[in-house]
Amino acid sequence: TVANPRATKAFVAVIVVAGGSALASSLYQLVVKPVPHEWMILAALTLLSFVFAIKVPGIPAKISVSETFVFTSVLFFGTAAATVTVALDAMIMSAWRHRREPLKVLFNATEPTLSIWLASQLFLVIAGAPLGEGPRDANSLLFPVLVLSLTYFLLNSSLTAIAIGLQAGSRIISVWRTHFLWLALNYLGGASVAVLIVQNSTTV
């Protein structure tokens, strides 16, 4: 496979516009329909979680607990709060790692933003409302949260793998299997902890 710079730029542009639109919509929703300010606690914990990331030998990435706080934000406060949380986290991390590559910063900031926005929208279709709005039986949480975590994982990992594959001229499925497949456990683990938090709390 040959690298395709034009296709890469076109793909990145689509993701940046879509992710930016999701962020703008979420900010608007927080203004017109504010959620409890406690969501900022989860946002702060998400931003701080990179300090506790664990490097796994032989794997080109780190395990982070940030997904736990992101999923908890969705469960308690809905799409807008979670989307803004992910956008802030991704923007800060990307600017720190790729400060001399503005296109990478934009893509890395907007891609997970778009992914969590879409995943949480699907979650709300299934769950009906943020789970923090009232007590729910643990069994009723399992399927919608599973859909949330797997959708977020698949979108986040696949969109990034597509960008890498187009830029490097590599097979996208090979990129995904090598760099992202193992991360499914991280997302599922984070979702499990988020369910426990919601199940055992009435407030953040």
Side-chain angles (χ1 to χ4, degrees):
T1 306
V2 180
N4 192 331
R6 292 184 64 182
T8 302
K9 289 181 179 179
F11 177 74
V12 168
V14 169
I15 297 301
V16 168
V17 171
S21 299
L23 176 58
S25 173
S26 298
L27 289 170
Y28 175 76
Q29 287 298 318
L30 287 179
V31 171
V32 299
K33 191 178 179 181
V35 298
H37 294 304
E38 286 84 357
W39 77 269
M40 296 180 184
I41 298 174
L42 293 173
L45 290 171
T46 304
L47 296 175
L48 290 172
S49 62
F50 78 94
V51 176
F52 305 101
I54 301 171
K55 180 71 174 72
V56 180
I59 296 177
K62 294 182 178 181
I63 291 178
S64 171
V65 297
S66 64
E67 282 78 20
T68 295
F69 303 122
V70 170
F71 294 142
T72 303
S73 185
V74 175
L75 269 56
F76 270 110
F77 305 117
T79 298
T83 300
V84 173
T85 296
V86 169
L88 287 172
D89 180 55
M91 193 175 302
I92 291 172
M93 291 300 297
S94 184
W96 179 58
R97 292 174 177 172
H98 306 290
R99 51 187 174 273
R100 296 183 180 179
E101 301 174 279
L103 195 59
K104 281 188 177 181
V105 171
L106 282 174
F107 178 81
N108 290 338
T110 53
E111 179 276 310
T113 300
L114 175 63
S115 296
I116 194 61
W117 188 86
L118 291 171
S120 57
Q121 293 285 358
L122 180 58
F123 164 79
L124 290 177
V125 169
I126 298 171
L131 303 182
E133 290 188 359
R136 301 283 285 270
D137 179 72
N139 292 331
S140 72
L141 309 183
L142 297 180
F143 180 67
V145 173
L146 178 64
V147 171
L148 169 66
S149 59
L150 288 180
T151 303
Y152 183 40
F153 162 68
L154 290 172
L155 286 170
N156 200 7
S157 59
S158 298
L159 293 175
T160 302
I162 291 171
I164 294 173
L166 290 173
Q167 184 180 42
S170 304
R171 293 182 67 241
I172 293 169
I173 188 64
S174 297
V175 173
W176 186 81
R177 285 175 177 171
T178 300
H179 297 283
F180 301 106
L181 178 58
W182 70 275
L183 284 172
L185 294 176
N186 198 41
Y187 284 71
L188 291 173
S192 300
V193 175
V195 168
L196 291 176
I197 292 172
V198 172
Q199 183 66 19
N200 293 282
S201 303
T202 55
T203 185
V204 175

